[in-house]
Amino acid sequence: MTLFEQILAKIKQYNTIIIHRHMKPDPDALGSQLGLKEIIKHNFPDKKVITPGYDEPTLAWLGQMETVSDSDYLDALVIVTDTANRPRIDSSSYEQGDFLIKIDHHPNDDAYGDLIYVDTDASSSSEIIADFAMTLQLQLSDEAARLLYAGIVGDTGRFLYPSTSSKTFSIASQLRNYHFDFAAIARQMDSFSLKIAKLQAYALSNLEIDENGAARLVLTQELMKKFDITDPETSAIVATPGKINSVEAWAIFVEQPDGHYRVRLRSKSHIINGIAKRHAGGGHPLASGANSYSLEENEIIYQEIKALLKNSPEP
Ligand code: AMP
């Protein structure tokens, strides 16, 4: 049996299926979680499928989360999508199920689960879920196609990042055959509010860039209050520094209410997830996240990016 077939066998075996994804969700986390739910409900209407987690207000257009109780986990299959390591799973109750499946496209640094499907060549977890359904000839609903398409668009930066393969296009093309408002998704993901526009302007004006293209931006709590921006909303400017052609790799330090910094790391070519792993984080080679617990650590992280670019100008 292929891994996809084993996953399907488990879905068929259990009456209750609970699907989790990572904290601080992005469109791929929600697209893969809710897209898989739609597929299971469409093909096996009698199954109870629950999708718990934090309701991220900026992503309400993708869907709402559901409440889950401890008793739901009795004899339940738990599937976790798009989440590389256990501490990032929203929430810890995922452990209470009978059988655990991990489906992800991040490096498999924390190989949790009784069954693991990890494909780091996939652009997104939504691509994997779509591939799963298409390979096994499961029926897709229009809503599943919308969610999975949005997840792929989200994680590929609208088909811009190197993770976009011919398979990504092929799957996106098949999803496009379903009836959903394709242009509305494109608009949703390409437009921003006035306050985000102002934050973009701040980011571009205040970015520090060195001679090798190492860049940094610090967003303090005070600044975020001034711009009326929440932590999840900073995702709207994570890609902004990369639009400058002299920028190669960058870090955005987002101060958290407890004073520590969430560090969002991005790179066009140099592999930066090693830096993330050294600072309580991880992620993809060119898009990862870390945590910094002091201004000194912020400085060390920036120095590590600078050194990476200086010591290996052409990867
Ligand atoms: P972000 O900057 O939060 O959008 O994160 C970019 C990528 O890094 C995502 O694929 C995350 O899954 C991963 N990532 C972010 N923060 C962490 C962390 N603390 N530990 C492991 N991976 C992370």
Side-chain angles (χ1 to χ4, degrees):
M1 271 214 279
T2 64
L3 271 175
F4 276 164
E5 286 167 345
Q6 290 176 44
I7 293 170
L8 182 58
K10 285 291 166 193
I11 290 172
K12 286 181 177 165
Q13 184 186 331
Y14 285 87
N15 291 325
T16 302
I17 299 153
I18 304 171
I19 311 173
H20 289 255
R21 40 79 189 155
H22 63 77
M23 295 165 173
K24 299 187 174 174
D26 53 18
D28 187 36
L30 292 179
S32 58
Q33 178 193 30
L34 299 174
L36 179 57
K37 177 191 173 163
E38 278 292 319
I39 291 166
I40 298 173
K41 288 300 289 177
H42 199 71
N43 290 275
F44 310 101
D46 294 337
K47 295 202 186 282
K48 182 174 179 183
V49 188
I50 312 172
T51 47
Y54 171 70
D55 256 317
E56 170 48 51
T58 59
L59 295 175
W61 55 276
L62 279 168
Q64 297 294 306
M65 297 292 103
E66 293 160 330
T67 49
V68 65
S69 61
D70 284 353
S71 59
D72 289 321
Y73 286 89
L74 291 173
D75 293 323
L77 170 65
V78 176
I79 304 178
V80 180
T81 68
D82 200 39
T83 315
N85 49 349
R86 277 169 281 195
R88 297 244 310 151
I89 301 173
D90 180 6
S91 68
S92 60
S93 49
Y94 77 89
E95 289 174 327
Q96 298 172 34
D98 186 57
F99 194 89
L100 179 63
I101 300 179
K102 174 187 190 182
I103 302 178
D104 192 22
H105 71 126
H106 300 93
N108 195 15
D109 293 332
D110 180 4
Y112 65 83
D114 303 303
L115 188 59
I116 299 175
Y117 186 95
V118 169
D119 179 4
T120 52
D121 289 333
S123 68
S124 51
S125 294
S126 297
E127 178 180 319
I128 296 174
I129 300 296
D131 190 22
F132 162 75
M134 289 168 183
T135 304
L136 299 181
Q137 293 176 334
L138 294 170
Q139 301 242 317
L140 280 172
S141 63
D142 291 336
E143 178 61 1
R146 181 185 82 91
L147 290 160
L148 297 172
Y149 183 84
I152 294 172
V153 169
D155 253 32
T156 59
R158 276 175 288 131
F159 307 105
L160 283 179
Y161 303 149
S163 57
T164 309
S165 68
S166 77
K167 185 171 178 178
T168 312
F169 282 121
S170 162
I171 286 176
S173 157
Q174 291 176 71
L175 294 173
R176 181 71 177 92
N177 282 326
Y178 290 82
H179 296 284
F180 61 88
D181 195 340
F182 160 82
I185 292 182
R187 265 197 313 277
Q188 186 81 46
M189 299 182 102
D190 192 37
S191 59
F192 39 71
S193 60
L194 185 58
K195 67 179 186 179
I196 295 289
K198 289 181 177 169
L199 185 69
Q200 298 267 13
Y202 177 88
L204 290 169
S205 316
N206 291 275
L207 196 67
E208 180 183 338
I209 311 170
D210 82 353
E211 65 283 5
N212 298 309
R216 72 169 151 187
L217 178 74
V218 182
L219 299 178
T220 61
Q221 281 284 310
E222 191 187 348
L223 197 91
M224 286 160 71
K225 280 198 190 86
K226 184 178 152 204
F227 283 98
D228 188 24
I229 296 291
T230 61
D231 176 82
E233 286 174 321
T234 63
S235 65
I237 61 144
V238 176
T240 302
K243 304 218 173 191
I244 302 171
N245 59 11
S246 58
V247 170
E248 278 300 321
W250 62 100
I252 301 183
F253 297 87
V254 186
E255 191 184 8
Q256 303 295 302
D258 69 0
H260 100 277
Y261 289 81
R262 167 189 192 174
V263 190
R264 314 191 78 159
L265 293 161
R266 296 292 187 273
S267 171
K268 288 179 184 165
S269 51
H270 293 68
I271 291 170
I272 38 83
N273 58 355
I275 299 175
K277 284 181 200 167
R278 283 198 290 281
H279 297 277
H284 302 279
L286 303 180
S288 42
N291 290 284
S292 161
Y293 295 93
S294 64
L295 292 177
E296 291 74 27
E297 192 172 1
N298 283 0
E299 187 60 35
I300 290 168
I301 292 171
Y302 184 50
Q303 293 302 328
E304 287 183 19
I305 300 172
K306 283 168 73 83
L308 180 72
L309 296 187
K310 188 174 179 190
N311 298 334
S312 55
E314 287 170 33

